[in-house]
Amino acid sequence: METNLILEGFKFMGLGMGTVFLFLIVMIGSMNLMTYIIHRFFPEPQASESAPTSATSQQDNKKVIAAITAAIAHHRQG
């Protein structure tokens, strides 16, 4: 009984690679299904039309700039 070991090696390699390929296909499919289900039942909230006014955001920006300036001045002093 003579067995060609190279042919057997290629058979096992094909079986192993096929198994991994099949697993990856199943994993990608299940991830896509999970994404569909999550987006179906938990949609992302829509952006509301009542955005903060520009005066409010400018005041917030001024506060941030003042805090950064104070931090830099404190760092330079000591």
Side-chain angles (χ1 to χ4, degrees):
M1 178 168 163
E2 183 154 333
T3 335
N4 190 353
L5 293 178
I6 294 177
L7 185 60
E8 290 292 320
F10 280 126
K11 285 181 185 178
F12 283 125
M13 181 182 70
L15 179 65
M17 290 175 67
T19 303
V20 169
F21 184 73
L22 183 65
F23 170 75
L24 290 175
I25 294 297
V26 169
M27 184 179 71
I28 290 171
S30 63
M31 288 175 65
N32 286 337
L33 178 66
M34 182 177 59
T35 302
Y36 172 76
I37 290 171
I38 288 174
H39 283 289
R40 174 91 165 100
F41 292 110
F42 303 103
E44 293 189 22
Q46 299 295 325
S48 63
E49 295 295 326
S50 61
T53 60
S54 61
T56 306
S57 64
Q58 286 179 354
Q59 288 176 350
D60 290 340
N61 286 341
K62 288 180 182 179
K63 289 179 182 179
V64 170
I65 292 171
I68 292 172
T69 306
I72 291 172
H74 178 68
H75 178 71
R76 287 184 179 165
Q77 287 176 357

